[in-house]
Amino acid sequence: MTEYVIIGDGIAGATAAQTLYQDEDDASITVITDEREPLYNRINIKEYAKGKMGEDFIRMHEEDWYDERDIDLMLNTRVWKVEADDNTLVLHNGDELSYDKLLVAAGGTPRDLPVPHSDADGIHNFWTFVDSRQIRKDAEDSEHGIVVGAGLLGIDFAYALSENDVEGKYLMRGDRWWRYAMDEEGAEIIHDELRDAGVEPVFGEGIERFEIDRMGRVTEAVGTTGERYDCDIAGVCIGLDLNTGILDGTPAETDEGIIVDEHMQTDDPDIFAAGDITEFYDVLIEERNINGSWDSAQEQGEVAARNMAASATGEEMETFSIVPKYSVSHFSMPFMSLGSPTKGEEYVSRNYGEKEHRRLAFKDGRLVGAVLIGNVRPVGSLTKVIKEGEEVIDSQDALLEERIDLDSVLDS
Ligand SMILES: Cc1cc2nc3c(=O)[nH]c(=O)nc-3n(C[C@H](O)[C@H](O)[C@H](O)COP(=O)(O)OP(=O)(O)OC[C@H]3O[C@@H](n4cnc5c(N)ncnc54)[C@H](O)[C@@H]3O)c2cc1C
């Protein structure tokens, strides 16, 4: 019997467990998580924080789900380190657990702001269901809020403020929201949406420190410009540090993430990784990539599980390759990011109307990513073009047409 151990019960780890259960007759499967609850829909915790969804819509697995599949689920259990020499994990309580094949699907930990009082009550990261419950509770009692982190998580926190009738200020160090993927024209559409929602974008501003009351609760944020902002609640959404430390001292190489090849395998043949935590070889852009999206994590979990099983029997491994999609549903129009829109070397964009915009990212003449605002109908065609990997930079005008003639783009 092959002993499979999975660290992390997010969508990557849980999908891997399900895949092993379905495909392998002779497997012992253990899933370890430091969270207190089994898999939930991390995407939808923003809807919970907004007050738009109840707990039942967020939960995905009950503990029974694991029992029924004979999967050993260990909640509230932190993996301290991996002893790769003897295929063993050391847990926070000193217990040890052996494995034949290990999947590290441990995601990341939100970064804290390195400023005074950033740990005060009322200041939140936005990553777990526990965070989301606390944000909703605090937001209901708050009048003024601030958000830092001009990316996809920050915007979720901004709308959690808006939906709870908190007057918000969104502090951005640069001159626009998600500046690594968006140009000024596209970002301006989002800034207007924020203003309509009662959240004021403030550019060229960071946090110098927070002020607190005698109870240790945040009362004000002091900006790097010296401006002071009332705040009873604050969101710090400035990115994740990937939890690679578990593999320190093992042959598995780590950098920002865990380095895996296109099979999700590390330099240690018994250790695989999947989900947000990986720095994977992306066959679509032919370089290492990091992708923080649900569909990518899910697919990586599935591919990693099949490849762990294949490596145990010497069979051929399969290649991970998808074009991830990330939708933002807070706005009055659709918004979608596709592929790797921050990885471009050349960009082209077009505005089609007041709230309609498209920006395309090219690398080595090939389309590698896109941001679509207002009209997301071209998503199918653009996904196909990214997947095909042909040089299409000369067809940029055709790719910016409102309706893309896919055959002519690919034929030319
Ligand atoms: C508010 C919010 C909104 C989002 N919206 C979208 C969206 O609209 N679209 C989209 O595509 N993506 C979205 N995402 C991102 C998406 O949720 C993630 O990319 C995805 O959930 C990553 O899954 P994962 O399994 O790789 O990691 P995770 O879900 O982070 O799971 C990793 C698990 O491992 C556990 N763990 C870590 N270290 C240890 C250890 N040492 N021992 C034991 N357990 C450990 C963690 O506690 C965690 O439970 C959103 C995320 C958030 C927070």
Side-chain angles (χ1 to χ4, degrees), residues 99-301:
Y99 62 84
D100 294 316
K101 297 286 169 188
L102 173 68
L103 179 67
V104 185
T109 302
R111 271 183 214 136
D112 288 322
L113 265 183
V115 301
H117 300 314
S118 63
D119 58 350
D121 286 348
I123 302 179
H124 300 274
N125 294 130
F126 199 2
W127 193 251
T128 64
F129 201 178
V130 172
D131 295 337
S132 174
R133 292 183 184 106
Q134 195 58 43
I135 291 166
R136 178 157 155 184
K137 194 160 161 284
D138 274 3
E140 280 167 2
D141 297 333
S142 296
E143 275 181 48
H144 303 284
I146 63 142
V147 192
V148 283
L152 294 163
L153 272 187
I155 203 98
D156 290 340
F157 197 93
Y159 277 83
L161 295 181
S162 163
E163 293 288 346
N164 284 289
D165 295 325
V166 181
E167 196 185 300
K169 295 268 194 293
Y170 195 162
L171 311 187
M172 310 190 198
R173 278 188 307 185
D175 63 353
R176 61 185 182 277
W177 180 69
W178 206 21
R179 63 187 151 140
Y180 303 110
M182 308 273 287
D183 59 12
E184 283 171 26
E185 285 175 314
E188 199 45 43
I189 300 174
I190 306 304
H191 302 159
D192 284 341
E193 289 288 309
L194 282 164
R195 291 182 190 108
D196 288 348
V199 178
E200 182 61 33
V202 181
F203 305 107
E205 182 68 293
I207 298 278
E208 173 80 26
R209 65 178 189 279
F210 291 100
E211 301 284 8
I212 55 173
D213 64 16
R214 278 188 304 169
M215 305 297 286
R217 198 175 174 83
V218 67
T219 55
E220 261 189 335
V222 182
T224 45
T225 60
E227 193 72 31
R228 303 178 84 91
Y229 303 91
D230 285 340
C231 80
D232 324 298
I233 179 168
V236 175
C237 308
I238 55 173
L240 294 180
D241 289 321
L242 302 177
N243 297 320
T244 58
I246 314 169
L247 292 182
D248 284 352
T250 71
E253 196 191 339
T254 62
D255 189 12
E256 204 181 320
I258 298 174
I259 312 281
V260 291
D261 61 14
E262 65 274 31
H263 307 126
M264 303 290 115
Q265 192 174 31
T266 69
D267 292 331
D268 182 322
D270 292 337
I271 304 179
F272 290 69
D276 281 9
I277 199 167
T278 63
E279 200 170 330
F280 62 99
Y281 183 73
D282 187 337
V283 295
L284 295 175
I285 58 171
E286 295 178 341
E287 62 177 64
R288 279 194 209 148
N289 203 354
I290 291 184
N291 194 300
S293 74
W294 184 267
D295 56 357
S296 170
Q298 186 168 27
E299 178 74 8
Q300 287 193 13

Side-chain angles (χ1 to χ4, degrees), residues 7-13 32-35 42-43 45-46 77-79 105-108 126-127 153 156 243 246 274-276 292-295 297 325-327:
I7 308 175
D9 187 37
I11 188 63
I32 306 172
T33 175
D34 59 0
E35 292 200 59
R42 202 175 290 285
I43 293 186
I45 63 170
K46 60 190 157 200
T77 306
R78 186 160 188 78
V79 175
F126 199 2
W127 193 251
L153 272 187
D156 290 340
N243 297 320
I246 314 169
D276 281 9
S293 74
W294 184 267
D295 56 357
K325 298 177 184 65
Y326 195 118
S327 303

